[in-house]
Amino acid sequence: MRFRVWDTPFGRPWHCVRHRSAEMGPFGRLGTGISHIRSSASRASSRARDRARRPARKLENRLPSQARLRRAPSELQEVAKVSLTIGIVGLPNVGKSTLFNALTKNDVLAANYPFATIEPNVGVVGVPDPRLDKLAEIFGSQRILPATVDFVDIAGIVRGASEGEGLGNKFLANIRESDAICQVIRAFKDENVVHVDGKVSPKDDIETINTELILADLQSVEKAVPRLTKEARLQKDKVAVLAAVEEAQKILEAGDTLFSRGITAGTETGRLLHELHLLTTKPFLYVFNVDEDELVDEDFKNEQRALVAPAEAIFLNAKIESELIELDDDEALELLQSMGQEEPGLATLGRVGFATLGLQTYLTAGPKEARAWTIKKGATAPEAAGVIHTDFQKGFIKAEIISFEDLVETGSVAEARAKGKARMEGKEYVMQDGDVVEFRFNV
């Protein structure tokens, strides 16, 4: 173990111990635990005598977090992890499973018939972040750990799903568990792949899916209104909830999703509607599975963007994306540039998914790894520390921060410090995307 001393506001030092197995970070050991030791020699010796008399099990029961850290520090739990779950939905045979295969490099059943996906397939996908490559270069990191997105391939939806048609009930249950809805819309033409409605029409497909989601929400709202009307007579806090539900009912009856009208989980109306778990308050994004020539057809793409605004639209060819993952970087870039593209559609999807859910990352790096940690936009430094481990948040003291741009410009942590680019931030600091961080905490 290594000992360091920090000056306290009271002029007396903290004698601190760093856990040997903690990961090396850009400023020393990443998120190292700082255990306060009383400076009085008599107290220290008294504690040592007490510890010797006390069985080890009692020590662990009395000080569970410290005992765990000392016994098995490599087992730090990321108990505050911020996860991003996107449900991939669409009509049958639009390329959902092909897209999922490309996302996860797994071979789920991508059959050419309705309901090839019955149980949702779940895959964890790294979000491309070129900043990690640069950090790994600066710190000589052995591995790179990007932020991740959980993609769920959900059974194809058909007209009548809100009434249980096809696999409608499974579809609705699976989509309720997702944080965002990614609609895969077929725009490619292929006579060998049947369309469930007999024709390729992105506008009609979008209307079909949105209609089923709207009808499902209307059922929930119509059931809730009579109950909330009674409750509002006796409970004042239910008056605002009833008003929000009635507002949502008008929007849904007009044929609009709540998301398209600005009502999401983060808004005041969305919070009032939370107990109903409405589907159309979830953020939407759209993936258009297009033919190769449509990838560079700006008129076509603008027309589709207008259909889904204000949601984001992403254009890709799922088959080409599947081919790209089998190529090395140079060959993949050559293929993309031959189609007028600069990056894979999957890279765009990862970034857009992050933005859609209001997420961002902060960075850590050292000889062992360069890593991106996922947090909500607006998260404070202690909240960000808690993503690594709750002890980091509970005992938070300070965060030493260098922006990614400043670190790259100076070339090292030592140079960043020397040029005044490193700064100490406290509990009120709001994290910025790309902050390179070391947390200091006391447990």
Side-chain angles (χ1 to χ4, degrees):
M1 292 184 261
R2 296 194 303 160
F3 291 86
R4 290 183 63 183
V5 177
W6 277 266
D7 289 330
T8 71
F10 308 101
R12 296 170 56 189
W14 274 320
H15 297 272
C16 305
V17 58
R18 289 176 175 263
H19 298 292
R20 182 183 299 276
S21 66
E23 171 62 53
M24 288 294 295
F27 312 95
R29 291 187 178 272
L30 163 62
T32 34
I34 301 173
S35 303
H36 181 66
I37 310 256
R38 298 178 186 177
S39 57
S40 168
S42 61
R43 290 183 180 181
S45 61
S46 175
R47 287 177 60 188
R49 287 195 299 273
D50 291 344
R51 192 178 295 115
R53 298 190 190 107
R54 195 179 301 127
R57 182 176 299 173
K58 290 185 179 179
L59 171 65
E60 292 185 12
N61 290 337
R62 185 172 178 179
L63 297 170
S65 61
Q66 292 187 23
R68 278 199 307 273
L69 287 170
R70 289 170 182 164
R71 182 182 68 250
S74 63
E75 296 176 0
L76 291 178
Q77 300 175 359
E78 295 165 29
V79 291
K81 179 183 177 183
V82 179
S83 62
L84 170 66
T85 304
I86 300 178
I88 302 176
V89 304
L91 298 178
N93 300 342
V94 298
K96 296 190 319 300
S97 293
T98 303
L99 175 63
F100 183 84
N101 288 345
L103 284 166
T104 61
K105 300 183 182 179
N106 290 330
D107 289 326
V108 296
L109 181 63
N112 177 27
Y113 56 89
F115 315 126
T117 308
I118 298 176
E119 294 299 326
N121 299 281
V122 181
V124 180
V125 182
V127 178
D129 190 341
R131 297 175 301 187
L132 292 175
D133 296 321
K134 189 63 179 178
L135 286 181
E137 178 184 331
I138 293 173
F139 292 99
S141 305
Q142 297 176 11
R143 61 176 180 168
I144 292 175
L145 295 177
T148 60
V149 183
D150 291 345
F151 282 93
V152 183
D153 184 17
I154 297 173
I157 188 173
V158 294
R159 285 188 177 86
S162 59
E163 303 292 339
E165 289 295 324
L167 295 169
N169 292 330
K170 278 183 176 290
F171 170 86
L172 296 175
N174 293 149
I175 203 62
R176 286 186 199 281
E177 296 172 1
S178 300
D179 298 305
I181 300 174
C182 172
Q183 290 193 32
V184 180
I185 306 300
R186 176 175 174 176
F188 69 88
K189 301 175 179 63
D190 187 340
E191 295 180 355
N192 297 319
V193 180
V194 296
H195 190 287
V196 68
D197 289 334
K199 65 175 182 177
V200 175
S201 173
K203 181 179 179 181
D204 290 344
D205 291 359
I206 293 169
E207 289 180 353
T208 296
I209 297 171
N210 287 348
T211 297
E212 296 305 322
L213 297 175
I214 289 169
L215 289 174
D217 279 355
L218 268 175
Q219 290 178 10
S220 299
V221 166
E222 289 169 353
K223 289 179 182 178
V225 168
R227 171 179 59 81
L228 289 170
T229 301
K230 293 179 181 179
E231 292 177 355
R233 294 170 185 161
L234 304 174
Q235 304 174 45
K236 291 183 178 180
D237 61 321
K238 294 295 183 180
V239 174
V241 177
L242 176 60
V245 171
E246 289 175 339
E247 179 186 354
Q249 184 174 12
K250 292 178 182 178
I251 293 172
L252 295 168
E253 288 176 343
D256 295 326
T257 65
L258 298 176
F259 174 77
S260 69
R261 299 287 290 273
I263 298 177
T264 63
T267 63
E268 181 60 29
T269 302
R271 284 188 285 271
L272 293 170
L273 295 172
H274 176 71
E275 66 179 73
L276 300 185
H277 302 289
L278 300 178
L279 300 175
T280 63
T281 61
K282 297 179 184 291
F284 282 70
L285 57 151
Y286 293 81
V287 173
F288 288 87
N289 191 6
V290 301
D291 290 318
E292 185 176 335
D293 58 345
E294 292 171 335
L295 286 172
V296 293
D297 188 340
E298 291 301 321
D299 290 337
F300 169 81
K301 291 195 289 186
N302 288 334
E303 183 181 340
Q304 308 314 310
R305 289 189 183 104
L307 290 176
V308 302
E312 291 282 351
I314 300 164
F315 300 88
L316 54 78
N317 181 294
K319 286 186 177 181
I320 292 176
E321 295 294 327
S322 298
E323 295 172 6
L324 286 171
I325 62 176
E326 303 297 334
L327 303 176
D328 61 35
D329 292 344
D330 291 338
E331 292 176 334
L333 180 59
E334 184 179 349
L335 177 57
L336 283 168
Q337 291 177 341
S338 71
M339 299 183 297
Q341 306 294 302
E342 292 299 324
E343 67 174 4
L346 299 187
T348 305
L349 178 56
R351 285 201 307 276
V352 170
F354 239 58
T356 298
L357 283 189
L359 299 178
Q360 65 183 31
T361 57
Y362 69 88
L363 310 171
T364 60
K368 287 189 177 180
E369 66 182 35
R371 183 164 186 166
W373 301 86
T374 303
I375 55 175
K376 284 282 188 179
K377 289 181 180 177
T380 62
E383 291 169 339
V387 173
I388 299 177
H389 193 276
T390 52
D391 281 350
F392 286 32
Q393 183 171 1
K394 292 175 183 177
F396 178 89
I397 300 173
K398 293 285 183 181
E400 187 171 15
I401 292 176
I402 304 173
S403 73
F404 172 78
E405 291 77 12
D406 287 341
L407 184 57
V408 172
E409 181 182 346
T410 56
S412 71
V413 172
E415 280 298 310
R417 286 172 173 162
K419 294 182 178 180
K421 300 296 185 179
R423 62 189 190 277
M424 300 299 297
E425 299 287 358
K427 294 182 178 180
E428 302 302 318
Y429 176 70
V430 177
M431 300 292 292
Q432 302 299 310
D433 189 69
D435 281 345
V436 184
V437 190
E438 180 191 22
F439 295 108
R440 297 182 181 180
F441 69 100
N442 178 23
V443 291

